[in-house]
Amino acid sequence: MSDETDENKLIARRREKLAGLREADAPAFPNDFRRDTLAATIHERYGGMADEALEAAGARVCIAGRMMTRRVMGKASFAHLQDRSGQIQLHVRRDDLGEAAYRAFKEWDLGDIVGACGTLFRTRKGELSVQCDTLRLLTKSLRPLPEKWHGLTDPETRYRQRYLDLIVNEESRRVFTLRTRLLSALRRYFDEAGFMEVETPMMQPIPGGAAARPFVTHHNALGRDLYLRIAPELYLKRLVVGGLERVYEINRSFRNEGISTRHNPEFTMLEFYQAYADYRDLMALTESLLRHLTQEVLGTGQVHWQGSTYDFASPFERLSLNEAILRYNPDLAAADLAERERAAEAARVRGIEVGAGDGLGKILLALFEETAEAQLHGPVFITDYPREVSPLARPRDDAPFFTERFELIVGGREIANGFSELNDPEDQAARFREQAQERSDGDDEAMHYDADFIRALEYGLPPTAGEGIGIDRLVMLLADCDSIRDVLLFPAMRPES
RNA sequence: GGGCCGUUAGCUCAGCUGGUAGAGCACCGGACUUUUAAUCCGUUGGUCGUUGGUUCGAAUCCAACACGGCCCA
């Protein structure tokens, strides 16, 4: 840090202390201390032990962590160390450590990282603590921590300086621990179900698999632009053509759109594909998966989110898209959803813009999204999305206007999107041509024609069903968060000014 | 992109209709050998987001900009 003009006196004071240590040849950053346990382990093992038994045991421990509190009372002090598992209190006495070591301890600051060894005992107030016989400074901290009582609440600082948020906010640690446990449980589930975890390109010559605007980047040696993927879908299906039959990928996709409480430019998606299955099989899998995940991560099938409860233990409701529209628009009848002009009129009456080129399918989707989706409590599967808005999905054999597709809605929000895959290469090529036409008509979210994907389908994609689950949204649901930024360690932010 | 709100000490926040900046915690000095928001005494700490305007005088009023939050598209 060359620019010291932005440093306040608190930091300057800590730098002086560090300089003093260096001058005295006292290590400020030693790396030879070893701990033998964690705070939580100590509480688990000894927390229930009676005082006399604890004293008789005379258990000695070595721990290390960040000093979060300190109360100096003359010749004895208390402090709390925080490690990755939690906190444990230290009792530090001059008579145990010696004059010099105790004086050194009093010079340390909150936020310093400290190693301590000593025997366990319980204080008069009943807190399990370490009676220290050894105390070492392991890392000098130069910046003051936020206040111990109110902590760090400013959302901007919490997102920009996540390290600080994680140090002081237990809730933040809880959310990201939950996220990791969820990902781990997801992988176990799919591994045990015979799926292979794979990695496909994030930099793609043709962005595909979703309707979204991509980020563009440039490869210097190739002298050409590449796109950050908006979905892994088309590559995963190529792998099923290749005979991998059951594949899944959990990683980032990128969409070049605004930032909000529900959208981050990069986000994590799970996509999985299973040969010899259809969308009904995937609805069953999704129910089983979510039931399993909530149980693993929360220990219950009842999910509390923003004041409501969602039941993942019971069978999920199923409703077609048209049924959902009719439920929330009692003035409409099935016939209103069967003809473009009548549906367009119903949309206009509700203030929904209808484009001249929009077919009945787009209008139905708009009606659903504008009048029904947000009111669906769920978990509920919405099925039968129109072919027009599902360019990669297989049409229903009995009603080819619709596709074998579903979305899972919870709390009015889309959590998953799955369908029987379109594996007829000639139909898929026709759909790509339609999409390409929409692009040239000005829809910059419409898909590109992907000739290699068609070539893959021409070798033969077995009947397959595939699904995508937005992991960030799932974490939001299970962690009871209202903003996607609260479940991303480093959410997208404008540069600091 | 639009609307509303916010930005004051390291952190959490006061600061009215304009009169020259405050508290708690942290820090520093002192007392204190079972405290836990430790306590008690005494200090220290600021480009009031940035730039411009109005005014004798701006943290305060006005405008633009930056960053953030919430809502809407």
Side-chain angles (χ1 to χ4, degrees), chain A residues 45-57:
Chain A
R45 284 215 198 127
Y46 301 98
M49 210 179 268
D51 293 10
E52 308 77 47
L54 190 61
E55 205 158 316

Side-chain angles (χ1 to χ4, degrees), chain A residues 249-453:
Chain A
E249 179 165 12
I250 302 178
N251 220 318
R252 235 60 72 76
S253 288
F254 309 83
R255 295 186 186 174
N256 206 339
E257 49 198 33
I259 298 175
S260 76
T261 50
R262 287 184 224 183
H263 300 90
N264 198 67
E266 52 179 311
F267 61 99
T268 299
M269 272 244 285
L270 158 70
E271 282 203 10
F272 58 95
Y273 291 81
Q274 177 175 351
Y276 311 108
D278 68 8
Y279 77 129
R280 287 191 181 80
D281 299 310
L282 287 198
M283 283 193 276
L285 186 155
T286 304
E287 270 197 52
S288 139
L289 171 68
L290 289 178
R291 196 162 296 142
H292 174 77
L293 289 178
T294 55
Q295 196 62 44
E296 283 275 299
V297 172
L298 302 176
T300 168
Q302 307 304 309
V303 176
H304 298 285
W305 188 76
Q306 305 293 302
S308 294
T309 300
Y310 300 88
D311 177 12
F312 284 81
S314 309
F316 299 0
E317 191 185 359
R318 296 184 187 197
L319 208 59
S320 77
L321 185 98
N322 280 8
E323 286 167 345
I325 296 172
L326 294 176
R327 178 184 289 184
Y328 294 101
N329 296 276
D331 57 315
L332 296 182
D336 294 312
L337 306 182
E339 279 177 40
R340 184 189 182 279
E341 283 324 306
R342 293 177 70 169
E345 182 55 26
R348 282 192 209 98
V349 166
R350 286 160 178 76
I352 300 166
E353 206 176 308
V354 177
D358 293 354
L360 175 60
K362 275 197 179 164
I363 297 169
L364 292 178
L365 183 64
L367 274 170
F368 169 74
E369 288 179 344
E370 298 299 324
T371 68
E373 186 172 22
Q375 299 183 66
L376 289 165
H377 183 268
V380 52
F381 288 113
I382 301 299
T383 61
D384 300 335
Y385 281 69
R387 175 190 183 283
E388 184 184 352
V389 295
S390 313
L392 303 168
R394 184 186 204 279
R396 282 181 58 147
D397 289 336
D398 60 342
F401 176 83
F402 297 106
T403 55
E404 294 189 1
R405 174 180 168 192
F406 67 89
E407 288 194 2
L408 177 67
I409 309 289
V410 181
R413 299 177 178 198
E414 174 195 341
I415 294 291
N417 176 23
F419 41 85
S420 305
E421 301 298 336
L422 178 56
N423 65 343
D424 174 341
E426 294 180 345
D427 190 354
Q428 184 65 74
R431 307 273 200 105
F432 275 157
R433 282 192 292 271
E434 286 169 23
Q435 290 286 312
Q437 183 60 47
E438 290 185 28
R439 275 195 83 74
S440 54
D441 290 347
D443 181 354
D444 54 8
E445 292 195 345
M447 294 179 185
H448 293 75
Y449 190 99
D450 188 332
D452 177 69
F453 179 67

